[in-house]
Amino acid sequence: MALIAQPFRHPDSGIYYLRRVVPEELRPIVGKVEIRRSLRTRDYRQAKSAFAAAYADSERLFQQARQRDRQGTAAGDQTEAVEDSPTQLPIPINTPLTKHAPAAANTLKLSQVFQRYADSLVLANKPEYVHRRHLIDYGRAVERFVEAMGDLRITTIDPIEVQTFATRLSQSKAKGQDKPLATSTVRLTIARLSSILSYAVDSGIIPTNPISSSRLHKRLGSAKPKRRLDDDRGYTWSELVRMFSQPDFAALRHLQGRPGNALFWLPLIAAYTGARREEIAQLYVSDVRQQDNGQWFIRIIDDRPDKSVKTDSSRRDVPLHDDLIALGFLELVKGKQADARVFPQLVKVADGFAGIVSKGWRPLTQRWGIYRQGRNPLHAFRHTFKTLAREVGIPKEVSDWITGHAAENEGDRYGVNPLSRMVEEMQKLPSIAREAGLLT
């Protein structure tokens, strides 16, 4: 797994840091598992410059440690410190010089390889909460393997062991349920385990990835079923109008408690922007912004520990349609502190902020005769937006900017996506709110 070293931005303070894992054989000498030094700036360009100097200091530290290890310097000797600077990284004085004997590759167990994999993630420049979630998810894959097969030495895990594990996993019961694990869960567990084994290959611990060699992914089938032409996962125009014209939908605007008025606003915002449910539910007041020309927009970004985005392209600015403003969306943020949340009644749990909204929206669509098996009632608005955009002639690249779909080539990643162009194209969308009678 190739990771490019770069400054790490603290998710709370915004200050950039150097974070670097100390090689395992040098940890007894350096006295740390990880080097972490503040670059003393919130500006990325300044951080890049300071990072280069800090990285060179850390490399010099490792060289000194290796030299000290080779020479077998007495424990009481002091090692010359690097230059005095904000990124000074001296070797601790009086560090015990017991040589670290790295475990031979043929003795490392899967759990030990996973620990090394976890240590390597600090170089990925991701927020702390992202690392934590990643380790929980991937650690669970390792736990499932250990429960089924034992904590095997990494060199003894071969394609036969992998096939046996997959069979046992598919026959195991889902937590708290009397039914086998879903095929999607089995596939995801295998994929995460494969990432850890690929790290072992990259690190020279094993020559090949036994999961890749087993071709197990072929037997498990594609993660996404083949699309059928009659399988429309979005809503039709008549279904949109029927939903939003229901009297009990209009009453949701004043609903109290959880999910409260989020049950009114999330479907509407999703219909007009194609945004994902969690992108909307996690919004802060500071994410609702206005350009100098008066245009309002929402900023979708993972700049706080309780916010996340699916991909890099998901970080974006999305114009607020005039209908949403006319319906009173800005009243949700009027007079509130910037660090308040737009929907404070939503609490983040295992299925995110918006899980409770999904649970409330499904029975409503069933009551209105719109629910269809296999169609996600909230995510369907994302499909609907893309279909409407095609029907009214919004260019694909603009539609992708609005919905946060990934660029198809390197050239598309250059420059910025002008908000004015998005606003211009969004005017082509028909007025759902007026057609449904929400606006007169």
Side-chain angles (χ1 to χ4, degrees):
M1 181 173 58
L3 296 172
I4 300 175
Q6 54 186 316
F8 164 77
R9 182 181 180 274
H10 194 281
D12 294 329
S13 67
I15 294 176
Y16 285 94
Y17 285 79
L18 162 82
R19 294 183 66 178
R20 193 174 183 193
V21 175
V22 177
E24 192 166 335
E25 68 274 15
L26 301 181
R27 292 175 188 175
I29 300 173
V30 177
K32 294 182 178 181
V33 173
E34 178 192 19
I35 291 172
R36 179 170 175 152
R37 290 292 181 272
S38 171
L39 302 179
R40 301 184 178 183
T41 181
R42 291 184 176 86
D43 183 274
Y44 183 71
R45 289 173 295 182
Q46 295 178 7
K48 288 283 285 186
S49 177
F51 179 84
Y55 194 92
D57 286 345
S58 67
E59 191 62 36
R60 186 156 62 251
L61 166 66
F62 293 164
Q63 291 297 333
Q64 290 176 351
R66 291 187 182 96
Q67 184 178 7
R68 184 176 180 182
D69 189 35
R70 287 194 298 267
Q71 293 175 350
T73 309
D77 289 350
Q78 298 184 5
T79 305
E80 180 184 359
V82 296
E83 295 178 18
D84 185 21
S85 70
T87 56
Q88 183 174 344
L89 302 167
I91 296 177
I93 298 174
N94 297 329
T95 302
L97 279 179
T98 304
K99 277 200 173 186
H100 176 67
N106 60 2
T107 65
L108 283 175
K109 295 183 176 181
L110 177 62
S111 60
Q112 293 172 307
V113 172
F114 174 68
Q115 187 56 56
R116 294 188 178 195
Y117 170 81
D119 290 343
S120 73
L121 292 178
V122 298
L123 296 179
N125 194 28
K126 298 289 185 182
E128 193 65 34
Y129 66 93
V130 175
H131 282 304
R132 189 161 54 248
R133 183 73 256 172
H134 184 98
L135 292 180
I136 290 173
D137 291 340
Y138 282 65
R140 181 57 183 150
V142 173
E143 287 175 9
R144 280 181 163 145
F145 185 92
V146 172
E147 288 170 1
M149 307 296 295
D151 194 6
L152 302 180
R153 292 202 306 271
I154 193 72
T155 53
T156 64
I157 300 176
D158 57 22
I160 295 177
E161 298 284 355
V162 168
Q163 295 282 0
T164 303
F165 168 60
T167 301
R168 293 179 181 177
L169 187 62
S170 63
Q171 295 171 348
S172 63
K173 294 287 194 289
K175 186 176 181 180
Q177 301 181 34
D178 191 27
K179 61 180 182 180
L181 286 176
T183 303
S184 58
T185 303
V186 175
R187 186 185 297 109
L188 186 59
T189 301
I190 296 296
R192 288 169 174 168
L193 190 64
S194 181
S195 294
I196 297 167
L197 294 174
S198 292
Y199 162 79
V201 173
D202 294 342
S203 302
I205 300 173
I206 52 177
T208 58
N209 183 337
I211 292 180
S212 300
S213 302
S214 72
R215 299 181 65 79
L216 184 59
H217 61 285
K218 294 288 186 182
R219 293 175 178 81
L220 288 173
S222 173
K224 294 183 178 180
K226 292 182 179 180
R227 184 177 181 182
R228 305 194 311 268
L229 291 178
D230 60 346
D231 184 20
D232 184 5
R233 288 171 287 178
Y235 295 112
T236 64
W237 176 253
S238 62
E239 286 175 328
L240 278 181
V241 174
R242 197 193 328 166
M243 276 188 296
F244 293 131
S245 61
Q246 297 292 327
D248 46 350
F249 172 76
L252 297 174
R253 181 199 293 265
H254 307 292
L255 192 64
Q256 300 296 314
R258 294 180 61 218
N261 63 356
L263 203 52
F264 175 85
W265 285 108
L266 256 71
L268 273 174
I269 298 171
Y272 275 98
T273 64
R276 300 177 180 90
R277 67 176 203 181
E278 204 64 20
E279 293 174 341
I280 305 168
Q282 69 185 7
L283 287 173
Y284 275 75
V285 172
S286 59
D287 296 324
V288 182
R289 305 186 177 199
Q290 188 177 30
Q291 281 190 319
D292 292 340
N293 64 4
Q295 175 62 47
W296 288 92
F297 64 96
I298 56 175
R299 174 157 292 176
I300 297 172
I301 190 171
D302 54 341
D303 59 347
R304 296 174 186 262
D306 60 350
K307 295 167 67 178
S308 61
V309 293
K310 186 175 182 180
T311 63
D312 286 342
S313 59
S314 299
R315 301 182 186 94
R316 64 196 187 279
D317 292 337
V318 181
L320 279 174
H321 194 280
D322 290 344
D323 283 1
L324 293 175
I325 296 175
L327 285 166
F329 175 76
L330 296 180
E331 295 298 318
L332 296 177
V333 299
K334 186 177 180 180
K336 291 185 179 180
Q337 296 292 326
D339 60 353
R341 294 188 42 245
V342 175
F343 301 105
Q345 73 273 30
L346 300 182
V347 179
K348 191 170 188 178
V349 291
D351 53 355
F353 287 111
I356 192 172
V357 181
S358 289
K359 290 180 176 69
W361 186 249
R362 182 184 298 269
L364 288 174
T365 60
Q366 292 171 334
R367 185 193 310 168
W368 300 331
I370 296 173
Y371 178 77
R372 189 172 71 215
Q373 190 70 31
R375 179 171 65 186
N376 187 310
L378 269 188
H379 194 70
F381 289 111
R382 190 163 168 83
H383 290 278
T384 304
F385 180 88
K386 296 293 284 190
T387 299
L388 281 176
R390 295 178 186 126
E391 288 179 351
V392 300
I394 296 177
K396 180 182 181 301
E397 69 270 18
V398 180
S399 173
D400 288 346
W401 299 345
I402 297 170
T403 56
H405 281 115
E408 294 185 350
N409 57 65
E410 188 62 30
D412 289 343
R413 297 184 177 91
Y414 278 66
V416 297
N417 303 330
L419 203 67
S420 58
R421 179 74 192 290
M422 287 185 262
V423 172
E424 178 185 347
E425 294 295 338
M426 285 179 75
Q427 301 304 315
K428 297 178 180 179
L429 293 172
S431 177
I432 303 169
R434 295 188 186 282
E435 191 70 22
L438 293 172
L439 290 173
T440 59

